[in-house]
Amino acid sequence: MKYDVAVLGSINLDVKALVLNYPERGQTALAKRINMLPGGKGSNQAVAAAKLGGKVAMVGMVGADGAGKQLLDDMNSWGVDTQFVKQSSDEGTGTFIVQIDQTSENTMVGTLGANAALQGDQVVRSLSEIEAPVLLMQLETSRDSVMAALRTGREKGMYIILDPAPADGFFEESLTYADCVTPNQQETERITGIKVTNKVEAIKAAKAIHHMGPSTVIVKLGSEGSVVLHEDDIYEIDSVKVKAVDSVCAGDVFAGALAVHYSQHGNFLDAVNFANKAAAIKVSKIGNHDAFPVLADMA
């Protein structure tokens, strides 16, 4: 079956709490609001790409539980094809607890659950039925599934965009298969050992990652924009200025927008600018998938 983007990644239930300040150890803090929302980097990126006009196939795993059904229903409602999402009878659906403070920054703790049970042979079988120019993936499923997707994507000639998140899940072998890698500042430091606080350091880090394998590197600097190393040239991309109220999912919206725009139009720098705008729209709104931009928002 033909798609614009295939996404391999995590599918989680997010329990999101809006707080004034993070509680200190041993303290209790009252939240302004708590919501249970669909999340997971893979699900987020797939929905972002679909809402921006892409035909998207999702590859992943949920538990055979109520949360898993809720998440599948959510992705289907946004137009993501979930026929390649497996259900585990042994592991529950991945769940994360997210705290967002008054500066819009977030911290998370959770369990991967069924995401970690996804097997490489299941991924290979799914990708064998999918024809798509772009494979978008992260590091929030089992290492076996990640490597199977990377190898299969390379064999099929897909353009592989790797969001090397979460930072704790990074392993260097993944870079040898990826065409494009999109780390944020924390992930960049995890990969290179370079603490990135400005664009000069970001350029140095991008070059270091490039030497590990990827032909294209995007180092994301949040409100300071990004540094792009593409076809041996360096580009400094400014961010789109907005009033930030919720930074959760901004990186996932960036990745989904980048993948679908590049898949459909083939101009990488245009895709980066498109992704920057999409992420900016997301941080200006509170919410998960319902707050992701659609094509009409990008005009």
Short mmCIF file of all heavy atoms in Angstrom, two decimals, residues 137-197:
data_model
loop_
_atom_site.label_atom_id
_atom_site.label_comp_id
_atom_site.label_asym_id
_atom_site.label_seq_id
_atom_site.Cartn_x
_atom_site.Cartn_y
_atom_site.Cartn_z
N MET A 137 11.05 7.88 12.44
CA MET A 137 11.12 7.02 13.62
C MET A 137 11.88 7.68 14.76
O MET A 137 12.56 8.69 14.58
CB MET A 137 11.77 5.69 13.27
CG MET A 137 13.08 5.79 12.51
SD MET A 137 13.62 4.19 11.89
CE MET A 137 13.87 3.29 13.42
N GLN A 138 11.72 7.09 15.96
CA GLN A 138 12.39 7.58 17.16
C GLN A 138 13.02 6.38 17.86
O GLN A 138 13.22 5.34 17.24
CB GLN A 138 11.40 8.27 18.09
CG GLN A 138 10.29 9.05 17.42
CD GLN A 138 9.16 8.12 17.03
OE1 GLN A 138 8.82 7.22 17.77
NE2 GLN A 138 8.58 8.35 15.86
N LEU A 139 13.33 6.53 19.14
CA LEU A 139 14.01 5.48 19.90
C LEU A 139 13.21 5.09 21.14
O LEU A 139 13.77 4.78 22.18
CB LEU A 139 15.42 5.96 20.30
CG LEU A 139 16.33 6.34 19.14
CD1 LEU A 139 17.62 7.00 19.67
CD2 LEU A 139 16.66 5.14 18.27
N GLU A 140 11.89 5.08 21.01
CA GLU A 140 11.02 4.85 22.16
C GLU A 140 10.30 3.51 22.06
O GLU A 140 9.34 3.26 22.78
CB GLU A 140 10.01 5.99 22.29
CG GLU A 140 9.62 6.27 23.73
CD GLU A 140 8.82 7.55 23.89
OE1 GLU A 140 8.01 7.88 22.99
OE2 GLU A 140 9.02 8.24 24.90
N THR A 141 10.76 2.65 21.13
CA THR A 141 10.31 1.26 21.10
C THR A 141 11.54 0.39 21.34
O THR A 141 12.64 0.90 21.56
CB THR A 141 9.64 0.91 19.77
OG1 THR A 141 10.55 1.18 18.68
CG2 THR A 141 8.37 1.73 19.56
N SER A 142 11.37 -0.94 21.28
CA SER A 142 12.51 -1.82 21.57
C SER A 142 13.65 -1.60 20.58
O SER A 142 13.43 -1.24 19.42
CB SER A 142 12.06 -3.29 21.49
OG SER A 142 11.74 -3.63 20.15
N ARG A 143 14.87 -1.84 21.05
CA ARG A 143 16.03 -1.69 20.17
C ARG A 143 15.93 -2.63 18.97
O ARG A 143 16.31 -2.27 17.85
CB ARG A 143 17.32 -1.95 20.95
CG ARG A 143 18.58 -1.79 20.12
CD ARG A 143 19.81 -1.68 21.00
NE ARG A 143 21.03 -1.63 20.24
CZ ARG A 143 22.21 -1.28 20.71
NH1 ARG A 143 22.31 -0.92 21.98
NH2 ARG A 143 23.29 -1.25 19.96
N ASP A 144 15.41 -3.82 19.19
CA ASP A 144 15.23 -4.79 18.11
C ASP A 144 14.33 -4.22 17.02
O ASP A 144 14.61 -4.34 15.82
CB ASP A 144 14.64 -6.08 18.68
CG ASP A 144 14.46 -7.16 17.64
OD1 ASP A 144 15.40 -7.39 16.85
OD2 ASP A 144 13.39 -7.80 17.63
N SER A 145 13.25 -3.56 17.42
CA SER A 145 12.32 -2.99 16.44
C SER A 145 12.95 -1.80 15.71
O SER A 145 12.75 -1.62 14.51
CB SER A 145 11.03 -2.55 17.13
OG SER A 145 11.23 -1.47 18.02
N VAL A 146 13.72 -1.00 16.44
CA VAL A 146 14.39 0.15 15.82
C VAL A 146 15.38 -0.31 14.76
O VAL A 146 15.38 0.20 13.62
CB VAL A 146 15.10 1.00 16.89
CG1 VAL A 146 16.02 2.03 16.24
CG2 VAL A 146 14.07 1.69 17.78
N MET A 147 16.21 -1.27 15.10
CA MET A 147 17.21 -1.74 14.14
C MET A 147 16.56 -2.42 12.94
O MET A 147 17.00 -2.27 11.80
CB MET A 147 18.20 -2.68 14.82
CG MET A 147 19.17 -1.99 15.76
SD MET A 147 20.08 -0.61 14.98
CE MET A 147 20.82 -1.43 13.55
N ALA A 148 15.49 -3.18 13.18
CA ALA A 148 14.78 -3.83 12.07
C ALA A 148 14.22 -2.78 11.11
O ALA A 148 14.30 -2.94 9.88
CB ALA A 148 13.66 -4.71 12.61
N ALA A 149 13.66 -1.69 11.66
CA ALA A 149 13.11 -0.64 10.81
C ALA A 149 14.21 0.08 10.04
O ALA A 149 14.05 0.36 8.84
CB ALA A 149 12.33 0.35 11.67
N LEU A 150 15.31 0.38 10.71
CA LEU A 150 16.42 1.06 10.04
C LEU A 150 16.96 0.22 8.88
O LEU A 150 17.18 0.73 7.77
CB LEU A 150 17.53 1.35 11.04
CG LEU A 150 17.24 2.46 12.06
CD1 LEU A 150 18.28 2.44 13.17
CD2 LEU A 150 17.20 3.83 11.39
N ARG A 151 17.18 -1.05 9.13
CA ARG A 151 17.74 -1.92 8.09
C ARG A 151 16.75 -2.10 6.94
O ARG A 151 17.12 -2.03 5.76
CB ARG A 151 18.12 -3.27 8.69
CG ARG A 151 19.28 -3.22 9.68
CD ARG A 151 19.71 -4.62 10.09
NE ARG A 151 20.81 -4.59 11.04
CZ ARG A 151 20.72 -4.95 12.32
NH1 ARG A 151 19.55 -5.38 12.80
NH2 ARG A 151 21.77 -4.89 13.12
N THR A 152 15.48 -2.32 7.29
CA THR A 152 14.47 -2.53 6.25
C THR A 152 14.24 -1.26 5.45
O THR A 152 14.11 -1.30 4.22
CB THR A 152 13.15 -3.00 6.88
OG1 THR A 152 13.38 -4.18 7.66
CG2 THR A 152 12.12 -3.31 5.81
N GLY A 153 14.20 -0.12 6.14
CA GLY A 153 14.04 1.15 5.44
C GLY A 153 15.18 1.40 4.47
O GLY A 153 14.96 1.87 3.34
N ARG A 154 16.39 1.09 4.89
CA ARG A 154 17.55 1.27 4.01
C ARG A 154 17.44 0.34 2.79
O ARG A 154 17.69 0.76 1.65
CB ARG A 154 18.84 1.00 4.79
CG ARG A 154 20.11 1.03 3.98
CD ARG A 154 20.37 2.39 3.33
NE ARG A 154 20.52 3.46 4.29
CZ ARG A 154 21.66 3.77 4.89
NH1 ARG A 154 22.75 3.09 4.62
NH2 ARG A 154 21.71 4.78 5.73
N GLU A 155 17.06 -0.91 3.03
CA GLU A 155 16.92 -1.88 1.93
C GLU A 155 15.85 -1.44 0.92
O GLU A 155 16.00 -1.67 -0.28
CB GLU A 155 16.57 -3.26 2.48
CG GLU A 155 17.69 -3.93 3.25
CD GLU A 155 17.22 -5.16 4.02
OE1 GLU A 155 16.01 -5.50 3.92
OE2 GLU A 155 18.06 -5.77 4.73
N LYS A 156 14.80 -0.81 1.42
CA LYS A 156 13.70 -0.38 0.55
C LYS A 156 13.96 0.98 -0.10
O LYS A 156 13.14 1.46 -0.89
CB LYS A 156 12.40 -0.32 1.35
CG LYS A 156 11.86 -1.68 1.78
CD LYS A 156 10.68 -1.56 2.74
CE LYS A 156 9.45 -0.97 2.08
NZ LYS A 156 8.78 -1.92 1.16
N GLY A 157 15.07 1.62 0.25
CA GLY A 157 15.40 2.91 -0.34
C GLY A 157 14.59 4.07 0.22
O GLY A 157 14.47 5.11 -0.43
N MET A 158 14.06 3.91 1.42
CA MET A 158 13.29 4.99 2.04
C MET A 158 14.23 6.04 2.60
O MET A 158 15.34 5.73 3.03
CB MET A 158 12.40 4.43 3.16
CG MET A 158 11.45 3.33 2.71
SD MET A 158 10.64 2.46 4.09
CE MET A 158 9.29 3.59 4.42
N TYR A 159 13.79 7.29 2.62
CA TYR A 159 14.55 8.36 3.26
C TYR A 159 14.22 8.29 4.75
O TYR A 159 13.07 8.46 5.16
CB TYR A 159 14.17 9.73 2.69
CG TYR A 159 15.03 10.86 3.20
CD1 TYR A 159 16.23 11.17 2.58
CD2 TYR A 159 14.64 11.61 4.31
CE1 TYR A 159 17.03 12.21 3.05
CE2 TYR A 159 15.43 12.65 4.78
CZ TYR A 159 16.62 12.94 4.14
OH TYR A 159 17.41 13.98 4.61
N ILE A 160 15.23 8.04 5.57
CA ILE A 160 15.01 7.77 6.99
C ILE A 160 15.30 9.02 7.82
O ILE A 160 16.42 9.52 7.85
CB ILE A 160 15.89 6.61 7.48
CG1 ILE A 160 15.56 5.33 6.69
CG2 ILE A 160 15.68 6.37 8.97
CD1 ILE A 160 16.50 4.18 7.00
N ILE A 161 14.26 9.51 8.49
CA ILE A 161 14.40 10.62 9.43
C ILE A 161 14.34 10.04 10.84
O ILE A 161 13.34 9.43 11.22
CB ILE A 161 13.30 11.67 9.24
CG1 ILE A 161 13.34 12.25 7.83
CG2 ILE A 161 13.44 12.79 10.28
CD1 ILE A 161 12.20 13.22 7.52
N LEU A 162 15.41 10.22 11.60
CA LEU A 162 15.49 9.69 12.96
C LEU A 162 15.46 10.83 13.97
O LEU A 162 16.33 11.69 13.97
CB LEU A 162 16.77 8.88 13.13
CG LEU A 162 17.05 8.36 14.55
CD1 LEU A 162 15.99 7.36 14.99
CD2 LEU A 162 18.45 7.74 14.63
N ASP A 163 14.44 10.82 14.80
CA ASP A 163 14.38 11.72 15.95
C ASP A 163 15.00 10.94 17.11
O ASP A 163 14.38 10.03 17.64
CB ASP A 163 12.92 12.06 16.23
CG ASP A 163 12.74 12.99 17.42
OD1 ASP A 163 13.76 13.45 17.96
OD2 ASP A 163 11.58 13.22 17.82
N PRO A 164 16.24 11.27 17.52
CA PRO A 164 16.97 10.43 18.48
C PRO A 164 16.51 10.66 19.92
O PRO A 164 17.29 11.04 20.79
CB PRO A 164 18.42 10.85 18.28
CG PRO A 164 18.31 12.30 17.91
CD PRO A 164 17.05 12.43 17.09
N ALA A 165 15.24 10.40 20.13
CA ALA A 165 14.61 10.66 21.43
C ALA A 165 13.88 9.40 21.90
O ALA A 165 13.37 8.64 21.09
CB ALA A 165 13.62 11.82 21.30
N PRO A 166 13.85 9.19 23.22
CA PRO A 166 14.47 10.02 24.25
C PRO A 166 15.98 9.86 24.29
O PRO A 166 16.52 8.86 23.77
CB PRO A 166 13.84 9.49 25.53
CG PRO A 166 13.56 8.05 25.22
CD PRO A 166 13.17 8.02 23.78
N ALA A 167 16.66 10.82 24.90
CA ALA A 167 18.12 10.81 24.92
C ALA A 167 18.67 9.53 25.56
O ALA A 167 19.68 8.98 25.11
CB ALA A 167 18.64 12.04 25.67
N ASP A 168 17.97 9.03 26.58
CA ASP A 168 18.44 7.82 27.27
C ASP A 168 18.38 6.59 26.37
O ASP A 168 19.05 5.59 26.64
CB ASP A 168 17.61 7.55 28.53
CG ASP A 168 17.92 8.55 29.64
OD1 ASP A 168 18.93 9.26 29.52
OD2 ASP A 168 17.14 8.61 30.61
N GLY A 169 17.60 6.65 25.30
CA GLY A 169 17.47 5.50 24.41
C GLY A 169 18.47 5.50 23.27
O GLY A 169 18.49 4.57 22.46
N PHE A 170 19.32 6.53 23.20
CA PHE A 170 20.24 6.64 22.06
C PHE A 170 21.31 5.56 22.06
O PHE A 170 21.87 5.22 23.09
CB PHE A 170 20.93 8.01 22.06
CG PHE A 170 22.02 8.12 21.04
CD1 PHE A 170 21.71 8.22 19.69
CD2 PHE A 170 23.36 8.07 21.41
CE1 PHE A 170 22.72 8.30 18.74
CE2 PHE A 170 24.36 8.13 20.47
CZ PHE A 170 24.04 8.24 19.13
N PHE A 171 21.58 5.01 20.87
CA PHE A 171 22.74 4.15 20.68
C PHE A 171 23.33 4.49 19.30
O PHE A 171 22.61 4.74 18.33
CB PHE A 171 22.38 2.66 20.79
CG PHE A 171 21.30 2.20 19.85
CD1 PHE A 171 21.61 1.59 18.64
CD2 PHE A 171 19.95 2.36 20.18
CE1 PHE A 171 20.61 1.14 17.78
CE2 PHE A 171 18.95 1.92 19.33
CZ PHE A 171 19.28 1.31 18.13
N GLU A 172 24.65 4.53 19.22
CA GLU A 172 25.34 5.10 18.07
C GLU A 172 25.06 4.35 16.77
O GLU A 172 25.05 4.96 15.69
CB GLU A 172 26.85 5.17 18.33
CG GLU A 172 27.60 5.97 17.29
CD GLU A 172 29.04 6.28 17.69
OE1 GLU A 172 29.32 6.28 18.91
OE2 GLU A 172 29.86 6.50 16.79
N GLU A 173 24.84 3.05 16.85
CA GLU A 173 24.61 2.28 15.62
C GLU A 173 23.43 2.82 14.82
O GLU A 173 23.41 2.72 13.58
CB GLU A 173 24.39 0.81 15.96
CG GLU A 173 24.30 -0.10 14.73
CD GLU A 173 24.05 -1.55 15.08
OE1 GLU A 173 23.81 -1.86 16.27
OE2 GLU A 173 24.08 -2.38 14.15
N SER A 174 22.45 3.41 15.49
CA SER A 174 21.28 3.92 14.79
C SER A 174 21.65 5.01 13.78
O SER A 174 20.97 5.18 12.76
CB SER A 174 20.26 4.46 15.79
OG SER A 174 20.77 5.56 16.51
N LEU A 175 22.71 5.75 14.05
CA LEU A 175 23.10 6.85 13.16
C LEU A 175 23.66 6.37 11.84
O LEU A 175 23.64 7.11 10.85
CB LEU A 175 24.14 7.74 13.86
CG LEU A 175 23.69 8.45 15.14
CD1 LEU A 175 24.83 9.31 15.67
CD2 LEU A 175 22.46 9.30 14.90
N THR A 176 24.14 5.14 11.79
CA THR A 176 24.76 4.65 10.56
C THR A 176 23.74 4.36 9.47
O THR A 176 24.11 4.20 8.31
CB THR A 176 25.60 3.39 10.83
OG1 THR A 176 24.74 2.34 11.27
CG2 THR A 176 26.66 3.67 11.89
N TYR A 177 22.47 4.31 9.82
CA TYR A 177 21.41 4.02 8.85
C TYR A 177 20.57 5.25 8.51
O TYR A 177 19.89 5.26 7.48
CB TYR A 177 20.48 2.93 9.38
CG TYR A 177 21.13 1.58 9.49
CD1 TYR A 177 21.82 1.21 10.64
CD2 TYR A 177 21.05 0.65 8.45
CE1 TYR A 177 22.40 -0.05 10.75
CE2 TYR A 177 21.64 -0.60 8.55
CZ TYR A 177 22.31 -0.94 9.71
OH TYR A 177 22.90 -2.18 9.82
N ALA A 178 20.58 6.26 9.36
CA ALA A 178 19.68 7.40 9.19
C ALA A 178 20.22 8.37 8.14
O ALA A 178 21.42 8.63 8.06
CB ALA A 178 19.50 8.13 10.52
N ASP A 179 19.30 8.92 7.34
CA ASP A 179 19.66 9.98 6.39
C ASP A 179 19.65 11.34 7.06
O ASP A 179 20.47 12.21 6.76
CB ASP A 179 18.68 9.98 5.21
CG ASP A 179 18.74 8.71 4.39
OD1 ASP A 179 19.76 8.49 3.71
OD2 ASP A 179 17.79 7.91 4.46
N CYS A 180 18.70 11.54 7.96
CA CYS A 180 18.54 12.82 8.66
C CYS A 180 18.30 12.55 10.13
O CYS A 180 17.51 11.68 10.49
CB CYS A 180 17.37 13.60 8.05
SG CYS A 180 16.90 15.09 8.97
N VAL A 181 19.00 13.29 11.00
CA VAL A 181 18.84 13.16 12.44
C VAL A 181 18.46 14.53 13.01
O VAL A 181 19.03 15.55 12.61
CB VAL A 181 20.13 12.64 13.10
CG1 VAL A 181 19.96 12.52 14.60
CG2 VAL A 181 20.51 11.29 12.51
N THR A 182 17.50 14.56 13.95
CA THR A 182 16.93 15.82 14.41
C THR A 182 16.98 15.98 15.94
O THR A 182 15.94 16.09 16.59
CB THR A 182 15.46 15.94 13.94
OG1 THR A 182 14.70 14.89 14.57
CG2 THR A 182 15.35 15.83 12.44
N PRO A 183 18.16 16.02 16.55
CA PRO A 183 18.23 16.11 18.02
C PRO A 183 17.93 17.51 18.55
O PRO A 183 18.22 18.52 17.91
CB PRO A 183 19.68 15.73 18.31
CG PRO A 183 20.42 16.23 17.10
CD PRO A 183 19.50 15.97 15.94
N ASN A 184 17.35 17.55 19.77
CA ASN A 184 17.28 18.83 20.48
C ASN A 184 18.58 19.01 21.26
O ASN A 184 19.53 18.25 21.09
CB ASN A 184 16.04 18.89 21.39
CG ASN A 184 16.06 17.83 22.48
OD1 ASN A 184 17.10 17.27 22.84
ND2 ASN A 184 14.88 17.54 23.03
N GLN A 185 18.63 20.02 22.11
CA GLN A 185 19.89 20.33 22.80
C GLN A 185 20.33 19.20 23.72
O GLN A 185 21.52 18.84 23.76
CB GLN A 185 19.73 21.63 23.59
CG GLN A 185 19.67 22.86 22.69
CD GLN A 185 19.01 24.03 23.37
OE1 GLN A 185 17.78 24.07 23.51
NE2 GLN A 185 19.80 25.00 23.79
N GLN A 186 19.39 18.63 24.47
CA GLN A 186 19.75 17.55 25.41
C GLN A 186 20.22 16.31 24.65
O GLN A 186 21.19 15.66 25.04
CB GLN A 186 18.55 17.21 26.30
CG GLN A 186 18.15 18.30 27.27
CD GLN A 186 17.35 19.42 26.61
OE1 GLN A 186 16.79 19.24 25.52
NE2 GLN A 186 17.30 20.57 27.27
N GLU A 187 19.52 15.97 23.59
CA GLU A 187 19.89 14.81 22.79
C GLU A 187 21.22 15.02 22.08
O GLU A 187 22.03 14.09 21.95
CB GLU A 187 18.77 14.51 21.79
CG GLU A 187 17.50 14.05 22.47
CD GLU A 187 16.22 14.45 21.76
OE1 GLU A 187 16.30 14.97 20.62
OE2 GLU A 187 15.13 14.27 22.35
N THR A 188 21.46 16.25 21.63
CA THR A 188 22.74 16.57 20.99
C THR A 188 23.90 16.36 21.96
O THR A 188 24.94 15.78 21.60
CB THR A 188 22.74 18.02 20.48
OG1 THR A 188 21.71 18.17 19.51
CG2 THR A 188 24.07 18.38 19.85
N GLU A 189 23.73 16.80 23.21
CA GLU A 189 24.78 16.60 24.21
C GLU A 189 24.97 15.12 24.49
O GLU A 189 26.12 14.66 24.65
CB GLU A 189 24.43 17.34 25.49
CG GLU A 189 25.52 17.25 26.55
CD GLU A 189 25.23 18.07 27.78
OE1 GLU A 189 24.17 18.74 27.84
OE2 GLU A 189 26.07 18.05 28.73
N ARG A 190 23.89 14.36 24.54
CA ARG A 190 24.00 12.91 24.78
C ARG A 190 24.78 12.23 23.66
O ARG A 190 25.59 11.34 23.90
CB ARG A 190 22.59 12.31 24.88
CG ARG A 190 22.54 10.78 24.89
CD ARG A 190 23.12 10.21 26.16
NE ARG A 190 23.01 8.76 26.19
CZ ARG A 190 23.87 7.93 25.59
NH1 ARG A 190 24.91 8.42 24.93
NH2 ARG A 190 23.69 6.62 25.66
N ILE A 191 24.58 12.67 22.43
CA ILE A 191 25.23 12.04 21.27
C ILE A 191 26.69 12.46 21.15
O ILE A 191 27.57 11.63 20.87
CB ILE A 191 24.48 12.40 19.97
CG1 ILE A 191 23.06 11.79 20.00
CG2 ILE A 191 25.23 11.90 18.74
CD1 ILE A 191 22.17 12.30 18.90
N THR A 192 26.97 13.75 21.36
CA THR A 192 28.29 14.30 21.05
C THR A 192 29.13 14.65 22.27
O THR A 192 30.35 14.82 22.15
CB THR A 192 28.16 15.57 20.20
OG1 THR A 192 27.51 16.59 20.98
CG2 THR A 192 27.35 15.31 18.94
N GLY A 193 28.50 14.84 23.42
CA GLY A 193 29.22 15.34 24.59
C GLY A 193 29.37 16.85 24.57
O GLY A 193 29.96 17.42 25.50
N ILE A 194 28.85 17.51 23.55
CA ILE A 194 28.95 18.96 23.43
C ILE A 194 27.70 19.60 24.03
O ILE A 194 26.58 19.30 23.61
CB ILE A 194 29.08 19.39 21.95
CG1 ILE A 194 30.35 18.80 21.33
CG2 ILE A 194 29.08 20.92 21.82
CD1 ILE A 194 30.44 18.98 19.83
N LYS A 195 27.88 20.47 25.02
CA LYS A 195 26.75 21.17 25.63
C LYS A 195 26.39 22.34 24.73
O LYS A 195 27.16 23.29 24.58
CB LYS A 195 27.10 21.65 27.04
CG LYS A 195 25.91 22.21 27.80
CD LYS A 195 26.29 22.52 29.23
CE LYS A 195 25.10 23.06 30.02
NZ LYS A 195 23.99 22.10 30.10
N VAL A 196 25.23 22.28 24.13
CA VAL A 196 24.85 23.27 23.12
C VAL A 196 23.99 24.36 23.75
O VAL A 196 22.87 24.11 24.20
CB VAL A 196 24.06 22.59 21.97
CG1 VAL A 196 23.56 23.63 20.97
CG2 VAL A 196 24.95 21.56 21.27
N THR A 197 24.53 25.57 23.79
CA THR A 197 23.79 26.72 24.31
C THR A 197 23.66 27.84 23.29
O THR A 197 22.99 28.84 23.54
CB THR A 197 24.46 27.28 25.57
OG1 THR A 197 25.81 27.66 25.26
CG2 THR A 197 24.49 26.23 26.68
#
